[in-house]
């Protein structure tokens, strides 16, 4: 544990209406009663104002805007204690089809935020991904650590790697008070139906056979969004400036294992799915070593039973069909157009 604890009263959360960002906002409102949250979100297809439903107006201000808007960002940052930066274009398939928005949001947007935090001396925490490290072989026992060399393999991961480098440069050159976290794959409520776990769940709820890329052996390291949220807060308040912390919950599973767990939990057979062609440059394995976060800051995940967390997630999608059904048809149409 670090000696000094940073105690913000007001934070700006970029991308706070998206999946991981909104889970973080809910976590903060529930667990940190002294904190007021301002969410800045462009409300692209992946952002949804309904993701913040139920949060009292006294705790939350919502601003519809873009992180590339320098004037807006400057105004918000001038009146806050910290910026927690979730906003990103994040879907690999979309980055392959059109990298342009990824460069704009993930690189240019991060630069705009860093400049504002530099100007107003505001604490900055940058949310990144384990995908910046590339991938590991399926038979490789090693896991990513904070010292693993960067080796991004998609337009998405390369733009996140770029933004990480900007943060480090602004810390070293300009003294910006920043930290970085690179996290493994999140699951939980409010995740867009284009993503792997909710796509399979909602396909089954719609009577559609789930789809599985390639050979299904690609491994992801899963963490519940609530555990990610607690880790980010821990780093924001206790992390050492200029440091990177990897967030993971020892949740390695192959895609076919995850799909079959969903099928079993929802009463379908283990082979009730269709194989589809693999995505270009599909990373084989991600695995996070979160020793630094756990030993230095004392963080521990709570959702360590994946089957239980998955059951809760399935139940959430059953109970919130009005949330996801309006976008389901268009999402599947986009996949069908690419044969996936």
């Amino acid at each position: 544990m670090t000696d000094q604890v940073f105690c913000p009263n007001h934070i700006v959360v970029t991308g706070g209406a998206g999946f991981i960002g909104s889970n973080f906002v809910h976590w903060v409102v529930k667990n940190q009663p002294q904190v007021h949250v301002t969410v800045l979100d462009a409300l692209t297809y992946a952002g949804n104002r309904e993701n913040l439903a139920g949060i009292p107006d006294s705790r939350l201000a919502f601003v519809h805007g873009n992180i590339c808007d320098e004037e807006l960002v400057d105004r918000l940052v001038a009146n806050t204690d910290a910026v927690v930066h979730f906003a990103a274009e994040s879907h690999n398939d979309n980055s392959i089809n059109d990298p342009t928005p990824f460069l704009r949001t993930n690189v240019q947007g991060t630069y705009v935020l860093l400049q504002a935090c530099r100007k107003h001396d505001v604490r900055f925490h940058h949310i990144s991904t384990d995908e910046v490290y590339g991938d590991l072989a399926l038979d490789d026992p090693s896991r990513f650590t904070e010292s693993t060399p960067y080796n991004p393999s998609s337009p998405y991961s390369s733009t996140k790697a770029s933004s990480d480098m900007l943060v480090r440069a602004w810390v070293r050159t300009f003294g910006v008070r920043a930290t970085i976290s690179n996290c493994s794959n999140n699951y939980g409520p409010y995740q867009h139906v284009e993503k792997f776990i909710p796509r399979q769940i909602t396909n089954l709820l719609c009577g559609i056979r789930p789809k599985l890329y390639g050979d299904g052996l690609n491994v992801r390291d899963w963490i519940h969004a609530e555990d990610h949220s607690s880790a980010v807060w821990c780093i924001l308040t206790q992390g050492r400036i200029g440091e990177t912390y990897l967030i993971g919950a020892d949740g390695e599973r192959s895609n076919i294992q995850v799909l079959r767990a969903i099928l079993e939990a929802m009463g379908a057979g283990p082979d009730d799915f269709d194989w589809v062609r693999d995505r270009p440059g599909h990373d084989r394995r991600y695995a996070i070593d979160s020793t630094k976060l756990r030993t230095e800051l004392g963080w521990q995940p709570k959702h360590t039973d994946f089957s239980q967390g998955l059951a809760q997630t399935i139940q959430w999608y059953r109970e919130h069909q009005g949330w996801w059904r309006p976008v389901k048809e268009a999402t599947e149409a986009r996949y069908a157009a690419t044969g996936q």
Side-chain angles (χ1 to χ4, degrees):
M1 304 281 277
T2 53
D3 295 331
Q4 290 186 319
V5 176
F6 172 61
C7 300
N9 293 312
H10 181 202
I11 62 174
V12 170
V13 178
T14 71
F19 161 47
I20 304 178
S22 64
N23 273 280
F24 177 73
V25 173
H26 281 282
W27 187 94
V28 170
V29 169
K30 178 182 177 182
N31 293 281
Q32 305 296 330
Q34 80 285 2
V35 176
H36 183 273
V37 180
T38 296
V39 167
L40 172 61
D41 200 293
L43 293 180
T44 62
Y45 78 95
N48 189 338
R49 186 70 175 83
E50 292 178 31
N51 291 359
L52 300 169
I55 298 176
D57 292 341
S58 60
R59 302 290 308 281
L60 176 71
F62 180 81
V63 178
H64 183 198
N66 196 298
I67 58 172
C68 294
D69 183 337
E70 294 180 19
E71 186 178 326
L72 173 61
V73 166
D74 185 82
R75 187 166 71 249
L76 294 177
V77 171
N79 295 292
T80 193
D81 301 320
V83 173
V84 185
H85 177 33
F86 288 89
E89 293 284 348
S90 65
H91 196 271
N92 264 307
D93 292 341
N94 294 347
S95 80
I96 293 166
N97 294 332
D98 181 11
T100 306
F102 290 76
L103 285 157
R104 186 182 306 117
T105 298
N106 300 353
V107 181
Q108 177 70 17
T110 301
Y111 162 75
V112 169
L113 290 163
L114 283 168
Q115 285 290 77
C117 288
R118 172 191 172 194
K119 177 180 175 181
H120 299 288
D121 189 26
V122 166
R123 175 78 171 85
F124 183 79
H125 180 68
H126 178 62
I127 309 295
S128 191
T129 171
D130 57 357
E131 295 189 41
V132 299
Y133 300 113
D135 61 350
L136 300 163
L138 294 180
D139 59 355
D140 185 347
S142 65
R143 297 189 290 173
F144 298 138
T145 71
E146 288 79 5
S147 60
T148 300
Y150 275 30
N151 187 28
S153 52
S154 72
Y156 160 59
S157 56
S158 64
T159 59
K160 289 300 289 184
S162 301
S163 63
D164 291 4
M165 295 302 183
L166 288 175
V167 175
R168 293 195 178 100
W170 261 243
V171 170
R172 179 166 176 170
T173 304
F174 303 117
V176 171
R177 294 181 292 125
T179 45
I180 298 171
S181 58
N182 299 78
C183 190
S184 55
N185 287 54
N186 279 232
Y187 74 99
Y190 304 110
Q191 189 169 26
H192 194 281
V193 294
E194 71 182 4
K195 300 292 189 174
F196 183 70
I197 286 179
R199 187 183 182 205
Q200 315 305 344
I201 294 169
T202 55
N203 275 350
L204 287 164
L205 291 173
C206 290
I208 303 169
R209 282 172 68 86
K211 311 285 194 298
L212 187 61
Y213 285 122
D215 58 13
L217 299 180
N218 303 70
V219 170
R220 298 296 177 258
D221 193 347
W222 293 97
I223 183 172
H224 194 282
E226 195 169 86
D227 283 334
H228 186 200
S229 298
S230 68
V232 168
W233 184 260
C234 186
I235 297 165
L236 176 69
T237 56
Q238 300 176 55
R240 289 184 292 136
I241 298 304
E243 291 295 312
T244 295
Y245 297 88
L246 266 58
I247 303 174
D250 303 321
E252 279 189 72
R253 279 170 179 76
S254 69
N255 287 348
I256 195 165
Q257 285 177 314
V258 173
L259 176 54
R260 285 184 165 147
I262 294 169
L263 290 165
E264 181 180 3
M266 298 182 71
D271 296 313
D272 288 348
F273 66 90
D274 295 326
W275 300 94
V276 295
R277 65 180 178 81
D278 210 354
R279 67 154 62 117
H282 196 183
D283 288 342
R284 288 304 272 172
R285 172 174 166 258
Y286 305 144
I288 288 277
D289 182 342
S290 57
T291 300
K292 178 179 175 180
L293 173 64
R294 300 189 194 205
T295 56
E296 194 174 293
L297 305 185
W299 174 82
Q300 290 291 332
K302 292 182 178 178
H303 295 269
T304 53
D305 184 335
F306 181 74
S307 61
Q308 184 180 48
L310 192 59
Q312 293 169 349
T313 303
I314 291 168
Q315 188 62 26
W316 190 90
Y317 282 91
R318 284 191 194 279
E319 294 174 354
H320 294 83
Q321 299 199 29
W323 179 87
W324 57 264
R325 280 192 181 273
V327 298
K328 178 64 177 174
E329 187 176 346
T331 300
E332 288 305 313
R334 284 200 303 273
Y335 273 117
T338 62
Q340 297 171 329

